[in-house]
Amino acid sequence: MKTKTMYQCDKCGYETISWTGKCPSCHNWGSLKEKVEIQSPRGEKGKQNKKAKLLRKVEVDLSKRIQTGIGELNRVLGGGIVKDSCAILTARPGAGKSTLLLEIAGDLATDEIKILYISGEESESQIKSRANRILDEIPENIWILSTTSMDIALENIKSLDPDIIFLDSIQTMVLEEYSSRAGSPVQTVECTNQLIEMCKGSRPRAAIMVGHMTKADEMAGLRTLEHMVDTVLLLEGESDEALRVLISTKNRFGRTGEIGLFNMEENGLKEITDSNEFFITKRRRNVPGAALSMIKEGSRLIVVEVESLVSKSFTPYPQRIGDSLRKDQLNTLISILEERGNMNLYDKNVILKTTGGIRVSEQSVNLAIIIAIVSSLKNIGIDQKTVFIAEVGLTGELKKVPQLTDRIRELDRLGYKKCYTYPFEEEIPTKNLDIIKCEELSDVISDIF
Ligand code: TYD
Ligand code: MG
């Protein structure tokens, strides 16, 4: 523990680090008395008596969370907004960050929960017209402040004393104290620091701030902010698709990898609660080029539909387009199909997408991708109650995917009839679902077509 010797005037309370005979403040002689101050390390004030606790006896305080009425958001946050936390919400321009914040505000504001929405991007009337568009009714306790001055924002936080603060966006705010422009590292870091202080002090508050993303899909120079906040939320989605996927890439209060699904509609972002309806097409007959699979995102199992179109190419460089996949994934799968499935695609364009535009990065969907291509190539439709779950190796063998049992049980529950997958040992009892185990890709192709 560090100590520091100070001198304090016992007449007027004036403090100084060096002793003088006469107090410079009240001009009394001999009134400065020595005073020893114990200096606590930065940020540890008032924690001197902290004792270790038995982990088994520590209680989890559930009252520290505010459950929103938006289930998709609660899941991503790991069970609601933590009362003294600071999160950053990031996405490309136009993804729906401001819309999402306003919807959370509309959902949470009550007599007990006061919300302050600070915007450096839009005027109060712009925010109001968006609120009119997306909220059925505007609750009493939402306060709006349109400013780019962090000093004004902080004053308002102190005087209004909100429970939840939204700050849209951190790159537009400036603290007078620093001369650098809005969005510079100094301003963003210092403004974030001030905001965090407002949340973690004796009066707990939750804050979500918006952070802009550059084209390179990185938070615009804001890597440092990721380390400062408790939670980093990412809202993904292509501008020409309605689907928005909310994921947490950092969460001090829950697991990462959970996803929240939303649909951007005329009147705001709507939760997709029935994901098994959203990502498949309801058809009366089988059409060539479509195959189903099941992915696992966080704790969630989702049936996805892969659509493929194979057409003749009139140039020596056929096109391979697959927006919902990783770039190399489609090319690799086409090569496997050519070599191990004995099909020629060198003079064919291949276009691939998923219904609803959900990105599929999981390997479990690879068999369905190849089967969708073959289905289009042969112009033969696949039964809509058949699902394909396996990774396909470069050897053409079907390979293991994680949590196959969970996927099979869920498919059975949803009423699917057939599942093509890799050979496995354990018994998985099913009611409706026929499990067809295949060693090789060519076995699946010859069984179906
Ligand atoms: P916005 O929340 O302003 O995005 P961000 O803050 O991430 O830049 O939303 C932008 C897009 O969403 C805009 O192009 C219009 C569309 N939108 C809808 O389709 N429906 C709506 O109800 C709202 C408010 C926006
Ligand atoms: Mg915005």
Side-chain angles (χ1 to χ4, degrees), residues 92-99 130 133-134 264-268:
R92 280 187 244 170
K97 299 175 291 292
S98 309
T99 308
R130 181 184 286 118
R133 185 168 163 190
I134 63 176
M264 181 58 100
E265 292 175 13
E266 264 306 294
N267 52 350

Side-chain angles (χ1 to χ4, degrees), residues 97-98 121-122 130 168 212:
K97 299 175 291 292
S98 309
E121 310 230 330
E122 288 159 318
R130 181 184 286 118
D168 189 0
H212 283 296

Side-chain angles (χ1 to χ4, degrees), residues 284-325:
R284 272 194 235 115
R285 58 189 183 87
N286 305 332
V287 297
L292 301 180
S293 187
M294 177 171 257
I295 56 169
K296 192 159 197 283
E297 292 282 353
S299 59
R300 182 168 226 205
L301 295 158
I302 305 168
V303 179
V304 292
E305 181 178 67
V306 181
E307 295 170 35
S308 156
L309 179 64
V310 179
S311 64
K312 187 157 176 55
S313 166
F314 294 96
T315 71
Y317 304 104
Q319 296 208 52
R320 274 84 177 90
I321 303 171
D323 287 343
S324 329
L325 306 186

Side-chain angles (χ1 to χ4, degrees), residues 102-117:
L102 206 52
E103 278 179 20
I104 303 172
D107 177 77
L108 284 180
T110 57
D111 290 348
E112 283 87 47
I113 301 179
K114 191 189 278 185
I115 293 177
L116 174 60
Y117 187 117

